[in-house]
Every structure is written in structure tokens, then in C-alpha cells.
Amino acid sequence: MKSSINSLEVVTIYAFLEALTQQTKPLPPDLKHQINEVGHLFTENPTSAVNRLLELAEHETIKPTYEQTRLEIQRQYEPEELNRWMSFDEPNPSDEPQPETLENLMAVSLQSSEPEKDAQKLLSKLKSLFPRLSRQKNND
């Protein structure tokens, strides 16, 4: 089963998770609640969930890190290159999450009572799926 999440949506997810993991203070309750709602949405409509992440990325707590991470990735790769190397059709080693479960992984992480902490686990899994995302920071 192929994931319904495309490569640019993966970049959005990655940048959002990176922004969550960089938080040094607890998230404001209203933001945490909205993130939990997006987690529920991932099980029903992943595209809408990613679009909602884009809206939440505008929150003053998330925005600086989100924008920096997203720009770093997009500066290095043209969209057609992202599509080529972030393809979900490539075989994955058995110890990595299967692409059809990305939506479920996002749902579980974002519905957590501490999504900023659970985001770190998911971010590590994304880095293993798409190693170029994690290498891009080392190339700057």
C-alpha cells in the first residue's frame, strides 16, 4: 500500500517535528490541544492534517525553527529531486517503519500528552527513512 503523503508533505512533517523537538519550554495548552487534534486528523485525512500543520507552524512558538528547517531542506533540493529520492516506492529495510504507517505514526505522536517529546522518536524514524533529511544540516 502506497502512502498518500507526498514528498513535500514529508518536508512539512519533518520541519514541524524538528520545531517541536527544539522546544525548551512546555508548549502552550492551546497549541498542544490543536496538535492533538491534528493527530486525530492524520487517521482520517492525512492531506488535511499536513495542511493544518502548515497553519500551526505559524504559531510564534513553532515558527522560527520550522521556517529555518524547511528553508534548509528546500534550498538544497529542487521539488523534482525531492520526489525522486523521497519516493515511498523504494524498498525499506525491515527495521524501518513501512511507508503506509507514516500516517499512523504521526497520529500517535501528535495525540500524545507531550507531543514535543514524542516528536523526537518519530523524527528519528523519519531520518532513518529519508537519510538525506538528516544529512542536509551537516552540509551547511
Side-chain angles (χ1 to χ4, degrees):
M1 179 176 174
K2 185 174 173 163
S3 175
S4 60
I5 297 176
N6 67 39
S7 61
L8 292 177
E9 290 171 332
V10 170
V11 172
T12 298
I13 290 168
Y14 181 89
F16 190 84
L17 292 173
E18 183 72 38
L20 283 181
T21 64
Q22 298 299 317
Q23 298 307 303
T24 57
K25 299 178 189 173
L27 294 174
D30 68 314
L31 178 58
K32 191 178 288 191
H33 177 72
Q34 291 177 63
I35 290 170
N36 291 159
E37 288 177 347
V38 173
H40 290 290
L41 190 55
F42 261 102
T43 60
E44 299 166 12
N45 189 334
T47 298
S48 292
V50 172
N51 289 337
R52 187 73 177 109
L53 287 181
L54 284 170
E55 293 171 15
L56 293 178
E58 293 296 317
H59 192 280
E60 63 187 24
T61 304
I62 303 289
K63 190 173 183 172
T65 307
Y66 173 83
E67 286 182 345
Q68 178 185 355
T69 302
R70 187 162 183 118
L71 287 173
E72 286 172 359
I73 295 168
Q74 289 181 317
R75 232 187 5 241
Q76 289 194 346
Y77 303 103
E78 295 297 320
E80 56 274 359
E81 290 175 314
L82 282 170
N83 287 330
R84 182 172 46 240
W85 63 261
M86 294 178 86
S87 172
F88 285 115
D89 293 328
E90 296 175 13
N92 293 317
S94 60
D95 61 334
E96 294 177 351
Q98 295 300 308
E100 63 268 18
T101 66
L102 182 57
E103 292 91 338
N104 293 335
L105 291 169
M106 287 299 295
V108 169
S109 289
L110 296 182
Q111 291 180 58
S112 162
S113 61
E114 294 183 316
E116 63 275 30
K117 291 183 181 176
D118 284 355
Q120 184 62 50
K121 296 173 197 167
L122 184 52
L123 194 59
S124 296
K125 290 179 183 181
L126 272 179
K127 287 177 180 178
S128 70
L129 277 174
F130 307 112
R132 293 183 190 188
L133 283 173
S134 57
R135 283 199 304 252
Q136 61 86 21
K137 285 191 167 189
N138 299 331
N139 293 335
D140 284 347

